[in-house]
Amino acid sequence: DECLTPNDDPDATPIPIVRKGKAQAGGVICDVVAEILASQLERYITPEEDKEDKKARRVRAMKHGSQLSQAAADSDEDEEDDEDDGTTRDPPICLELCLQEGRHRSDQKEAPAEEKTGKGKKVGGKAKKAQGPTLLDSARGKICEPFCFLLASCAETITIQASSPSFGVSPESQSEEDLNEIFAALKKRVAKSKLPDYLRFFEKNRENRDGTTPTKIESSASILATCLMVASLAETLMGSATSGIVSREDPGETTECLFRLRSQAVEKATLILATPTAKKNKQTTSKKEGGTKKKKKKRQATGDDENDNPNMSVDEELSGKDIKKAVLDKARRAIEDEIATMCPAFDFKVLGQFFRSFGVSSESATQHSQLTSVEGQTPKARLTANIKFRTFMLERALRLVDGTGTVVKAGRRLDRAALSWKREGDDDSTTHQNKYIASAMLIGPFAFAEFASHCSKRNRTSLNHANLAANEMPLSHLSLAVVVRCLQRVIADHPTHDMPKEKRAFVWFRQVINKGKSSIPSIKKPFEFYTKGGLAPSEDRPLSEDTLGLRNMLLSLAAPVLEVQDERGEKNRQGGLLAELLANSMESEAAELVRLIGCAGSVIPDPDVRMSLGTSILRCWEYAKIDAPWNGILGLNHPEYFTHDQDDPPAKSPTIAVEAALILSSQLDADTPIAKIVTKSDATMRDSRFTSLLPTMSSEDWPESHREGIEKHLADDLSAVGIAKKLSLALLLRVGRDANFDSEVEMPSKKACRMPIVDTIAAIQAPKGLHVAREVGTMAASIQEAIDGALTDADFCIARILPHLSKGKALDQTKEYVAGRILAASSMISAMSGCAIMVDDTATFVASLLKSCKRIYSTYTKLVQIQTKYDPSGLDTAMNRLLLNELAIKMTPRTMCLLLSMQEHADAGEDKFMTDKKLASQGKVAAQVVYEKERFDSFLTKAAVKLKKVGMKEKAEEIEKFVVQSINRDFKIKASAIKAAQEREGKKKRKAGKKRKSDGAEGKKKKQKKAKKEEASDSDGADYDAGSVMDASVVDHTDSSVAASIDDEQLTDSEEESEESDEELE
């Protein structure tokens, strides 16, 4: 805020002058920065000769000869060109100042290929060539100046000067040339320049500074570097903010010329990079008299002659006809990625102006939507009809909003950490200043209008995938991806923002839909049906205005095909945008739309509304069962003109929809039963679940065939059903059960459990060499992730919450919540175990389920241990009884069947898809499951003993029924063997303090004798085969011989041992 000026005395310290305020101080700083940037920019600009001086020079050249001319002589053809468009042959920028001579030599010395021994035998072979740098690396190494960031800094300075009246140019500097005028003149000259003007420098300078002639690879690298510089230069000038730049030219014409220059440079660089290096053919001549055998190089038609003009030689090779399309696409992608790293991202205001001038609004106004430009059209109309330019706009918008592009803004340093939209240390004022949210608010509506427009043209959608390059997105998919990234910016974490996330998403969606309706009037009526409450919520609980408005907007995207009644009372069938895209086989657009719905639905605080949206997403695949005509949002009519085969892109939208639906329903929250929280006399279980932030499924959201089963679950207070359970039953119904589960798993009802989205996933063809499609395994992995999330919640409550709670209601409710979480996970495992071996070829899902079984036994063991230690009677609850019943009757037998199925799959022979390392890992998992199960049974036995001590003998007997006596080994441990082992351990403990180290031979002999005695006693006391421990994997529930051999004294011993282990655990 203070400016310092030196005193008259040079030795005196500077004294402060009058405070000018922040605005005036900022103006002074901007003047200084602008002067510095203008001086730096003038270093690279070629002086433009005045027309009068040019004419005088040419007259002098005609009279006195070209020696008196100060510039290069112009030919007659150049004079004609100058009269036509006023351009010159000299490039406006000296790009050679941005390139250095440093290059990567390709003619490195190689090791000798072979050596001869004294006997004449050859030893060794061809030496391997060291892999040198690629042509693109060589070109990248030649670029030594970040010229594009200098241009972006100049544009940002001009914008700041024009943003406030006090930031103008000071009177002292008015005599000098303004940065604004310099930048505007440079932009005009670059727009009128041509690519050969920049490449002409290499024609004049055919030798390096050291006098050597550059090789063809070096010349190609120099030309490639120049093309990269020209393309990045044109792109930076197009994307710089021009609010303060004075220009009398048509912005459409300037943009068209700059884009043409960029396209020429990109195509030239693509052909250079895609052209293969000419191979040198060797030709052997016959022996001559007195001479030796010589090898002559055959000169190729493309020429490796270093005396040829490098530009001409490259042009002769760059025909593009002999190069495969895939190679060209790959090279073009590499060039585009390199240009993206060389220049900053577009200013969002420039992108907004582009969308207004050359987007769907301009296309609707001018009615010029053809792919090829017509003579007589304006530059604005030609750019609007240019598909490449429309793609370029959307790609630059995506690069801006997804954070991959660097943004040059005042107040930021030009380093990698600062050239971004938001950093961790930024406060909200800095974020708002950088327009983090404003950019998404501006670009998102334009991108959605582009999406709605491109969907109506088949050649701009994913249906035209055969004509697209690899990893190239069609215009409809690209525009919708921009919309998704904009929404992610809007709902990002801004703690001190004036509006919460839900309010921001509601305002953003309202602008998006309004922009779409204004650009394409035909979609106004379908959108208004949903936004005005055409599908009212089924819940009786009132919703806030923002929640209800956002829900209605999302239903216009995610609503399934339903029979509705319009304002006139007529009944018709109406579907949302997702169902319409699926019906027209637009898979990639549908997948991106699911991401949009899931992203927006995640900010809704009401769990029931989120779950309803997830159900609607899954039901959108029901369109295939509807034969009657129905209306969509955009009115698309793209019939399935191709059949699904191996060459078609995989259908990713169903698996993404399953994942989004599980996230919206908070994974297993809806499947988690809880005890009723008594707050009011008329409180229902739905109220208790809402108080616990757990969703409740509504039967009205599902088809009529599913409603009866859902209502049965809702009638039971201790029962819950969610999306995860419905998906698992549908997958079991579609895939089928394994033969090992015929007696354990009952197949669900086809009428009440079938889901078209699951049928779509299961019907996807498997790749060659596999039996099951990867999408089936992806769906199963999403369900497994939900199971892991529920167990993680239970572990967190046991480890972090229960130790800090005293006795009371809060402690009891937390224990009930943990038991409910474990019950939800165990019921999911019981439902998925029957088809687990059939969802993938590597038994990965089976191993994941077994790991979850291990976690369930371990987590519940900790809960039982805590409950037994403080209050054993707490085990006598309805939730614990349900959980014990689920574990003993369903999960444990099916877990043992899973072990058997995995063992059979490992021994499948030729059909085995697992490596030895994976087999060993799965074997460890099986052993851990068995160990945790036996440990859990021992703690249940301890709990039963303590219940007997407190007088609850009946409850103890009920718990003992749930204990599964494990006989998964083919040996028995006798009671005499147990006593003998206990005596030996007692003797060892007593002698432990008296033992001394013996280094001599006598000590070793004593140890050997003692070891032999112990081995003999062990073999006498126990009868077992240790090699068969891991062979058996099935529990026989009928055999109770082990239980009969345990008497009451052994039970008390096990109680003492469990108490010791309890103390160790604490």
Side-chain angles (χ1 to χ4, degrees):
D1 294 339
E2 294 182 355
C3 297
L4 299 179
T5 179
N7 198 353
D8 295 337
D9 186 2
D11 298 331
T13 57
I15 58 176
I17 63 175
V18 181
R19 292 176 178 266
K20 297 183 179 181
K22 292 185 178 180
Q24 294 182 0
V28 174
I29 294 174
C30 284
D31 291 343
V32 174
V33 173
E35 185 177 353
I36 295 173
L37 292 176
S39 62
Q40 292 294 322
L41 191 59
E42 287 178 345
R43 292 179 57 246
Y44 302 95
I45 297 177
T46 304
E48 186 177 11
E49 191 175 13
D50 188 69
K51 291 184 179 181
E52 298 296 332
D53 296 340
K54 184 188 298 184
K55 291 180 181 180
R57 175 176 57 81
R58 289 176 177 173
V59 170
R60 290 197 305 271
M62 293 173 62
K63 291 182 179 181
H64 306 286
S66 60
Q67 288 81 1
L68 298 178
S69 177
Q70 296 179 2
D74 298 324
S75 62
D76 296 337
E77 297 178 357
D78 296 340
E79 293 179 5
E80 294 177 0
D81 294 339
D82 294 343
E83 293 177 359
D84 292 338
D85 54 7
T87 59
T88 62
R89 295 283 296 179
D90 295 330
I93 295 178
C94 300
L95 292 182
E96 60 270 14
L97 298 179
C98 302
L99 303 177
Q100 63 182 354
E101 193 175 317
R103 55 189 178 273
H104 302 282
R105 292 285 185 180
S106 60
D107 50 352
Q108 298 176 354
K109 293 183 178 180
E110 300 178 1
E114 53 188 23
E115 296 178 359
K116 292 185 178 182
T117 59
K119 298 181 180 180
K121 294 183 180 180
K122 296 180 180 180
V123 180
K126 292 184 178 179
K128 293 184 178 180
K129 279 188 177 181
Q131 186 175 1
T134 61
L135 185 61
L136 188 59
D137 293 335
S138 301
R140 188 187 301 114
K142 288 180 176 294
I143 301 173
C144 60
E145 295 289 340
F147 183 68
C148 296
F149 283 90
L150 174 61
L151 292 176
S153 302
C154 294
E156 178 66 15
T157 304
I158 296 171
T159 303
I160 292 176
Q161 286 182 326
S163 61
S164 177
S166 60
F167 281 11
V169 182
S170 59
E172 292 79 2
S173 61
Q174 287 181 356
S175 58
E176 301 179 2
E177 195 172 8
D178 187 14
L179 177 62
N180 193 344
E181 298 176 359
I182 296 174
F183 195 90
L186 176 63
K187 188 172 184 179
K188 176 182 175 181
R189 292 182 60 189
V190 172
K192 292 185 177 182
S193 62
K194 299 179 181 178
L195 181 61
D197 299 342
Y198 299 93
L199 300 178
R200 193 179 55 177
F201 171 78
F202 299 100
E203 297 179 4
K204 299 178 181 179
N205 302 274
R206 294 170 54 186
E207 294 183 356
N208 296 326
R209 295 179 182 177
D210 55 359
T212 60
T213 302
T215 62
K216 185 176 177 181
I217 295 179
E218 295 169 359
S219 301
S220 299
S222 300
I223 296 174
L224 180 59
T226 305
C227 292
L228 293 174
M229 287 294 300
V230 172
S232 59
L233 168 66
E235 181 176 332
T236 304
L237 291 176
M238 276 194 294
S240 300
T242 57
S243 58
I245 299 177
V246 179
S247 179
R248 298 178 182 177
E249 300 293 330
D250 182 13
E253 182 180 358
T254 303
T255 303
E256 183 184 22
C257 295
L258 288 174
F259 182 71
R260 185 187 301 115
L261 177 63
R262 182 190 183 279
S263 301
Q264 293 174 357
V266 170
E267 290 302 320
K268 179 85 171 180
T270 300
L271 291 175
I272 292 175
L273 192 62
T275 302
T277 306
K279 298 181 179 180
K280 300 177 181 180
N281 295 332
K282 297 181 180 180
Q283 184 179 5
T284 306
T285 59
S286 58
K287 287 186 178 182
K288 295 183 180 181
E289 295 182 359
T292 59
K293 185 181 294 186
K294 298 181 180 180
K295 295 182 179 180
K296 295 183 179 181
K297 296 182 180 180
K298 183 179 180 181
R299 201 177 295 273
Q300 301 293 329
T302 53
D304 196 19
D305 191 359
E306 298 180 357
N307 295 325
D308 294 340
N309 191 331
N311 289 338
M312 295 300 297
S313 63
V314 172
D315 289 337
E316 291 174 1
E317 292 181 2
L318 302 183
S319 61
K321 297 180 180 179
D322 299 333
I323 304 175
K324 294 182 180 180
K325 184 179 180 296
V327 178
L328 285 174
D329 294 338
K330 184 177 180 181
R332 186 176 293 107
R333 186 75 266 167
I335 294 298
E336 291 286 356
D337 294 342
E338 187 64 28
I339 294 173
T341 61
M342 293 176 59
C343 53
F346 273 35
D347 188 89
F348 73 96
K349 295 180 181 179
V350 176
L351 287 171
Q353 186 61 35
F354 277 7
F355 283 118
R356 291 189 189 96
S357 302
F358 316 115
V360 62
S361 302
S362 177
E363 185 179 12
S364 302
T366 58
Q367 296 299 323
H368 291 299
S369 60
Q370 59 272 19
L371 300 182
T372 58
S373 59
V374 181
E375 295 182 0
Q377 290 184 357
T378 61
K380 180 179 179 181
R382 287 195 296 269
L383 285 178
T384 303
N386 192 342
I387 296 300
K388 291 184 178 180
F389 182 76
R390 300 281 287 273
T391 306
F392 173 76
M393 277 196 315
L394 291 171
E395 286 178 349
R396 291 305 167 263
L398 181 61
R399 182 168 173 256
L400 172 68
V401 295
D402 68 356
T404 57
T406 55
V407 181
V408 177
K409 283 292 179 182
R412 295 281 188 172
R413 296 181 304 170
L414 291 178
D415 56 20
R416 183 169 296 180
L419 289 175
S420 59
W421 276 108
K422 187 180 179 183
R423 295 177 297 175
E424 294 182 358
D426 289 346
D427 55 1
D428 288 327
S429 61
T430 307
T431 303
H432 298 162
Q433 181 182 359
N434 290 336
K435 309 298 182 183
Y436 187 84
I437 298 180
S439 60
M441 288 289 185
L442 177 65
I443 296 175
F446 285 113
F448 184 78
E450 292 286 321
F451 162 73
S453 174
H454 294 317
C455 283
S456 61
K457 302 173 181 61
R458 180 182 298 175
N459 57 352
R460 302 184 187 182
T461 65
S462 59
L463 298 177
N464 193 31
H465 65 89
N467 298 325
L468 297 175
N471 300 325
E472 180 183 0
M473 290 191 294
L475 283 173
S476 57
H477 185 192
L478 186 61
S479 54
L480 192 56
V482 175
V483 177
V484 175
R485 302 307 185 278
C486 289
L487 177 60
Q488 291 174 351
R489 280 188 169 231
V490 170
I491 64 174
D493 291 329
H494 303 290
T496 60
H497 197 276
D498 297 337
M499 294 187 296
K501 291 183 179 181
E502 185 184 20
K503 181 70 174 179
R504 275 179 269 156
F506 171 69
V507 173
W508 182 83
F509 258 106
R510 185 172 58 190
Q511 294 182 4
V512 165
I513 294 178
N514 290 338
K515 184 63 178 178
K517 291 189 295 185
S518 62
S519 301
I520 306 175
S522 60
I523 66 176
K524 181 178 180 180
K525 186 177 179 180
F527 267 117
E528 287 182 349
F529 170 77
Y530 292 100
T531 55
K532 291 183 179 180
L535 296 179
S538 57
E539 295 84 1
D540 298 332
R541 186 175 56 258
L543 302 176
S544 64
E545 182 179 356
D546 296 337
T547 301
L548 182 61
L550 184 56
R551 173 214 176 249
N552 292 336
M553 291 179 183
L554 291 178
L555 278 180
S556 64
L557 307 178
V561 181
L562 301 173
E563 186 177 358
V564 297
Q565 188 174 358
D566 57 9
E567 298 176 354
R568 296 175 295 181
E570 298 179 357
K571 292 185 178 181
N572 55 13
R573 295 185 182 274
Q574 186 78 22
L577 182 57
L578 178 58
E580 187 176 12
L581 294 177
L582 292 171
N584 288 273
S585 302
M586 299 169 64
E587 284 291 336
S588 62
E589 291 86 349
E592 204 67 43
L593 185 61
V594 169
R595 294 189 182 98
L596 178 66
I597 300 169
C599 185
S602 62
V603 301
I604 298 178
D606 194 299
D608 293 343
V609 175
R610 293 199 309 267
M611 186 172 182
S612 177
L613 287 173
T615 305
S616 299
I617 293 175
L618 297 179
R619 290 193 61 189
C620 286
W621 272 259
E622 296 176 0
Y623 73 92
K625 300 190 301 181
I626 300 175
D627 298 332
W630 54 278
N631 300 323
I633 298 293
L634 302 179
L636 303 179
N637 187 17
H638 301 319
E640 297 184 6
Y641 65 95
F642 62 90
T643 57
H644 297 281
D645 53 16
Q646 294 292 120
D647 298 332
D648 292 335
K652 297 181 180 179
S653 57
T655 55
I656 296 176
V658 168
E659 183 180 3
L662 289 173
I663 292 176
L664 288 175
S665 63
S666 301
Q667 295 180 341
L668 294 188
D669 281 5
D671 299 275
T672 302
I674 61 170
K676 187 175 181 180
I677 302 175
V678 181
T679 55
K680 298 180 182 179
S681 58
D682 57 345
T684 61
M685 178 56 67
R686 182 182 290 271
D687 297 332
S688 299
R689 294 184 65 84
F690 181 77
T691 305
S692 303
L693 301 179
L694 298 177
T696 304
M697 180 176 289
S698 176
S699 60
E700 297 181 3
D701 295 336
W702 292 84
E704 295 182 0
S705 58
H706 292 238
R707 294 177 183 177
E708 184 179 356
I710 295 174
E711 290 173 356
K712 287 183 179 179
H713 284 281
L714 296 177
D716 188 1
D717 291 342
L718 291 178
S719 178
V721 61
I723 291 179
K725 189 64 173 293
K726 298 287 291 183
L727 287 172
S728 62
L729 294 177
L731 184 61
L732 174 63
L733 178 65
R734 182 62 176 80
V735 177
R737 64 189 175 192
D738 187 35
N740 295 324
F741 293 85
D742 290 341
S743 59
E744 296 290 343
V745 177
E746 183 180 357
M747 294 299 291
S749 172
K750 185 176 181 180
K751 180 180 178 181
C753 298
R754 184 179 179 183
M755 296 179 65
I757 185 173
V758 179
D759 296 340
T760 303
I761 295 174
I764 297 176
Q765 294 182 1
K768 293 182 179 179
L770 297 179
H771 299 154
V772 185
R774 296 188 180 93
E775 286 75 13
V776 181
T778 303
M779 176 184 172
S782 300
I783 298 176
Q784 175 61 39
E785 187 176 354
I787 296 173
D788 292 339
L791 294 178
T792 301
D793 292 343
D795 290 335
F796 178 81
C797 291
I798 292 176
R800 300 295 181 182
I801 298 179
L802 286 180
H804 302 283
L805 294 178
S806 58
K807 296 182 179 179
K809 188 175 181 180
L811 180 62
D812 295 337
Q813 290 180 354
T814 305
K815 292 178 181 178
E816 292 290 291
Y817 172 79
V818 173
R821 279 296 194 187
I822 299 174
L823 177 58
S826 60
S827 61
M828 286 298 304
I829 293 176
S830 300
M832 292 294 297
S833 58
C835 61
I837 198 66
M838 308 177 72
V839 300
D840 57 11
D841 293 305
T842 59
T844 302
F845 185 59
V846 175
S848 301
L849 286 183
L850 289 176
K851 290 179 182 179
S852 299
C853 293
K854 182 196 70 173
R855 291 186 64 186
I856 286 176
Y857 289 132
S858 176
T859 303
Y860 195 32
T861 299
K862 296 176 184 177
L863 182 62
V864 171
Q865 184 179 0
I866 293 174
Q867 191 68 47
T868 305
K869 182 177 181 181
Y870 295 102
D871 185 12
S873 61
L875 293 173
D876 184 24
T877 61
M879 191 67 65
N880 276 290
R881 285 194 295 270
L882 285 175
L883 179 54
L884 289 172
N885 189 68
E886 175 72 24
L887 294 178
I889 297 178
K890 291 185 179 181
M891 182 181 149
T892 299
R894 298 181 186 185
T895 300
M896 299 309 164
C897 292
L898 279 177
L899 292 171
L900 180 60
S901 298
M902 189 174 65
Q903 182 68 26
E904 292 177 353
H905 191 273
D907 299 335
E910 296 180 356
D911 295 335
K912 184 174 63 175
F913 290 88
M914 293 183 293
T915 60
D916 294 338
K917 185 177 180 181
K918 197 165 189 178
L919 287 172
S921 175
Q922 292 181 356
K924 293 179 181 179
V925 172
Q928 291 172 356
V929 170
V930 175
Y931 169 75
E932 292 294 343
K933 177 63 180 70
E934 293 179 349
R935 186 169 174 267
F936 169 68
D937 289 337
S938 67
F939 274 96
L940 277 185
T941 305
K942 170 191 169 182
V945 171
K946 286 198 173 184
L947 285 175
K948 289 180 180 180
K949 287 184 177 181
V950 296
M952 302 176 65
K953 188 175 181 181
E954 295 180 358
K955 302 300 180 182
E957 292 176 355
E958 291 181 2
I959 291 179
E960 288 177 349
K961 293 179 181 179
F962 295 116
V963 177
V964 179
Q965 301 298 338
S966 176
I967 60 166
N968 60 334
R969 304 181 181 92
D970 57 353
F971 66 93
K972 298 178 182 179
I973 301 177
K974 299 178 181 180
S976 59
I978 295 175
K979 292 181 179 179
Q982 290 177 352
E983 292 178 359
R984 289 195 303 270
E985 291 296 329
K987 293 180 180 179
K988 290 181 180 179
K989 290 181 180 179
R990 289 192 297 269
K991 295 180 180 179
K994 300 180 181 180
K995 285 185 177 180
R996 296 181 179 178
K997 295 181 180 180
S998 55
D999 298 331
E1002 296 180 357
K1004 293 182 180 180
K1005 292 180 180 180
K1006 291 181 179 180
K1007 288 183 178 181
Q1008 292 176 357
K1009 291 180 180 180
K1010 187 176 181 180
K1012 290 180 180 180
K1013 291 180 180 180
E1014 290 179 354
E1015 290 177 0
S1017 61
D1018 289 342
S1019 60
D1020 295 334
D1023 181 19
Y1024 66 94
D1025 183 10
S1028 60
V1029 172
M1030 294 304 301
D1031 293 340
S1033 60
V1034 181
V1035 174
D1036 187 1
H1037 300 281
T1038 59
D1039 193 346
S1040 59
S1041 59
V1042 176
S1045 62
I1046 300 178
D1047 53 4
D1048 294 337
E1049 294 180 359
Q1050 294 173 358
L1051 194 61
T1052 56
D1053 293 339
S1054 64
E1055 179 183 354
E1056 294 176 358
E1057 293 176 1
S1058 60
E1059 289 178 354
E1060 293 178 359
S1061 61
D1062 197 0
E1063 295 176 358
E1064 293 177 358
L1065 194 72
E1066 293 178 358

